């Protein structure tokens, strides 16, 4: 009984194949005409074309070098190891506290990443992803957009995490040791 439903006559099969061929040929012709028009436009306006290609190339390069959360974790771990290898007496307390705070936030599960295409933001949420309290599910108690900038922990751009790198400057210099040194 089912075989009768799917049986087609030879003329219907030929008509279906012809329509299918016409459909794909029309798509091919449309794309061919568009490509030829674009090539013609590029020949007429080479400066405009070079600007478009430069912007496209820049976007592709920046997109490929947009860091992900895994790279943030790796940089955090590498910097933590760097700080641990320095004696406690000469560690920069600001760098050490920042790394401890980030590690604590990761342990709490509140660190999130927002991918904006060419820039990534690491930000802190209120609760862990696995939390199922009413406060987490209620749409009126979600993170507000106006105060989102206060939650941003780091900015990733061109394979670097800029705030983390800035906090790690002079991680092996404790400024408290030099507080009694007087300059002339």
């Amino acid at each position: 009984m089912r075989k009768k439903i799917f049986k087609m006559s030879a003329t219907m099969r030929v008509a279906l194949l012809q329509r299918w061929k016409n459909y794909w040929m029309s798509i091919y012709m449309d794309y061919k005409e568009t490509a030829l028009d674009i090539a013609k436009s590029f020949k007429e306006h080479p400066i405009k074309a070079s600007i478009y290609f430069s912007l496209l190339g820049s976007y592709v390069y920046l997109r490929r070098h947009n860091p992900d959360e895994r790279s943030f974790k790796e940089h955090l771990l590498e910097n933590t190891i760097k700080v641990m290898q320095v004696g406690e007496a000469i560690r920069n307390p600001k760098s050490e506290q920042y790394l401890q705070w980030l590690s604590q936030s990761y342990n709490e599960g509140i660190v999130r990443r927002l991918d904006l295409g060419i820039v990534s933001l690491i930000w802190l949420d209120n609760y862990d992803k696995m939390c199922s309290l009413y406060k987490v599910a209620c749409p009126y108690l979600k993170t507000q957009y106006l105060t989102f900038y206060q939650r941003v922990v780091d900015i990733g751009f061109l394979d670097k995490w800029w705030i983390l790198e800035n906090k790690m400057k002079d991680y092996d210099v404790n400024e408290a040791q030099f507080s009694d040194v007087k300059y002339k």
Side-chain angles (χ1 to χ4, degrees), residues 69 101-102 104-114 121-132 135-139 141-145 147-148 150-154:
E69 189 172 356
W101 174 68
L102 280 176
Q104 173 80 26
S105 298
Y106 260 112
N107 290 339
E108 292 173 4
I110 59 174
V111 177
R112 306 280 187 272
R113 174 179 172 255
L114 177 63
L121 301 177
I122 297 291
W123 62 283
L124 298 181
D125 202 358
N126 290 334
Y127 301 100
D128 188 5
K129 291 177 185 174
M130 302 301 289
C131 186
S132 59
K135 289 180 180 181
V136 177
C138 181
L141 300 175
K142 297 274 184 191
T143 305
Q144 296 178 353
Y145 293 114
T147 60
F148 182 77
Q150 296 171 346
R151 297 175 172 274
V152 173
V153 175
D154 210 336

Side-chain angles (χ1 to χ4, degrees), residues 177-184:
Q177 285 184 330
F178 302 107
S179 61
D180 59 346
V181 176
K182 295 181 182 177
Y183 298 103
K184 292 183 180 181

